[in-house]
Amino acid sequence: MAAQAAAMQEMQMNQVIQQAVGASVAAQEKALDDELALMGTPEGLAAIRRQRVAALKKKEEARRANIALGHGSYQELADQQAFFNAAKQSDFMLVHFYRGATRLCDVVHRRMEDMAPKHLEARFCKIDAEKSPFLCERLNIFMMPTIVLIAHGQTVHQIRGFDELGGQDNWPEGMLSWVASQFGVLEHEGDRPVLPGEGEAPPSRRKMGEKVGSSIRSGFNEGDGDDYGESDAELDDMMAGFE
């Protein structure tokens, strides 16, 4: 009897699931039919055109707002305060921590200068690590060059050196945008560029804007102060509302 009851219950559950799936499919088909019907009328075509024009206007407004914030060019951040201000203003950032005497940092400068006008969705910046020792300590930046990826006020990844970019200073075009896209910071069309000697590259996994990683505040070492001009309390003030 127990087995029969269990079988009956399972059959009823399957029927409910099938009905729910059928209703969902039917609703989607009806929505598609309604849209297609609209496209067949002058009113429907006009409505679709208005929607597309509105979407284009919204995209253009976002583009102009980003440019006003410094997107589209590769800019120097003068100090830690400028770093936090920029990260509060822009949803997506790539920040190159560099040292003037490091040759490989010059490679990153050239690449990011070239990429910035092509990726208005993010802000490309650089900051002199030697002038920001307190920030480097708090973000655990110890290798030059390091590119910090920031999304929605969170540090989502650090690209240290060139290992993730192919291990060479002449990494393939599109490699940095692909890596950044894996952490939701840049848009990238297609899969990862193929490196010399490789077969087919792996597919992309994440979409633009996905929030991953930890906030900039988390992971910081606690301390009573420092010799760099900012105390922990002052740093907290800079970071208020940043998370």
Side-chain angles (χ1 to χ4, degrees), residues 103-149:
R103 181 187 66 83
L104 295 181
C105 290
D106 293 335
V107 176
V108 177
H109 288 324
R110 291 194 296 270
R111 292 302 189 98
M112 293 185 70
E113 284 175 355
D114 181 63
M115 290 178 63
K118 304 174 184 177
H119 291 275
L120 296 180
E121 70 272 17
R123 186 173 179 184
F124 289 71
C125 300
K126 57 184 175 180
I127 187 168
D128 190 336
E130 293 182 336
K131 294 180 180 178
S132 307
F134 187 47
L135 186 57
C136 289
E137 177 186 348
R138 290 303 184 91
L139 293 178
N140 194 30
I141 294 172
F142 56 86
M143 177 183 292
M144 303 298 147
T146 289
I147 302 173
V148 176
L149 307 181

Side-chain angles (χ1 to χ4, degrees), residues 70 73-79 82-83 86 93-100 109 113 123-132:
S73 61
Y74 180 49
Q75 300 176 338
E76 179 95 24
L77 299 176
D79 51 31
F83 170 85
M93 290 182 62
L94 291 85
V95 183
H96 173 205
F97 283 77
Y98 74 93
R99 182 182 295 114
H109 288 324
E113 284 175 355
R123 186 173 179 184
F124 289 71
C125 300
K126 57 184 175 180
I127 187 168
D128 190 336
E130 293 182 336
K131 294 180 180 178
S132 307

Side-chain angles (χ1 to χ4, degrees), residues 35-184:
E35 184 176 352
L36 290 174
L38 280 175
M39 292 180 65
T41 66
E43 296 80 6
L45 292 174
I48 292 172
R49 183 181 183 279
R50 286 194 298 270
Q51 292 173 0
R52 292 180 178 176
V53 169
L56 289 173
K57 286 183 177 179
K58 185 176 181 180
K59 185 176 181 179
E60 177 63 18
E61 289 173 357
R63 187 186 74 86
R64 292 183 180 182
N66 282 341
I67 291 175
L69 292 174
H71 294 222
S73 61
Y74 180 49
Q75 300 176 338
E76 179 95 24
L77 299 176
D79 51 31
Q80 296 172 156
Q81 182 68 62
F83 170 85
F84 287 109
N85 288 342
K88 290 176 183 178
Q89 294 172 343
S90 297
D91 288 337
F92 306 105
M93 290 182 62
L94 291 85
V95 183
H96 173 205
F97 283 77
Y98 74 93
R99 182 182 295 114
T102 303
R103 181 187 66 83
L104 295 181
C105 290
D106 293 335
V107 176
V108 177
H109 288 324
R110 291 194 296 270
R111 292 302 189 98
M112 293 185 70
E113 284 175 355
D114 181 63
M115 290 178 63
K118 304 174 184 177
H119 291 275
L120 296 180
E121 70 272 17
R123 186 173 179 184
F124 289 71
C125 300
K126 57 184 175 180
I127 187 168
D128 190 336
E130 293 182 336
K131 294 180 180 178
S132 307
F134 187 47
L135 186 57
C136 289
E137 177 186 348
R138 290 303 184 91
L139 293 178
N140 194 30
I141 294 172
F142 56 86
M143 177 183 292
M144 303 298 147
T146 289
I147 302 173
V148 176
L149 307 181
I150 299 173
H152 302 292
Q154 295 182 319
T155 55
V156 294
H157 188 58
Q158 292 187 16
I159 302 173
R160 294 169 174 154
F162 292 164
D163 285 350
E164 289 183 76
L165 302 174
Q168 305 175 37
D169 58 8
N170 61 338
W171 68 76
E173 184 176 355
M175 181 60 77
L176 178 54
S177 65
W178 182 85
V179 173
S181 74
Q182 301 307 287
F183 298 91

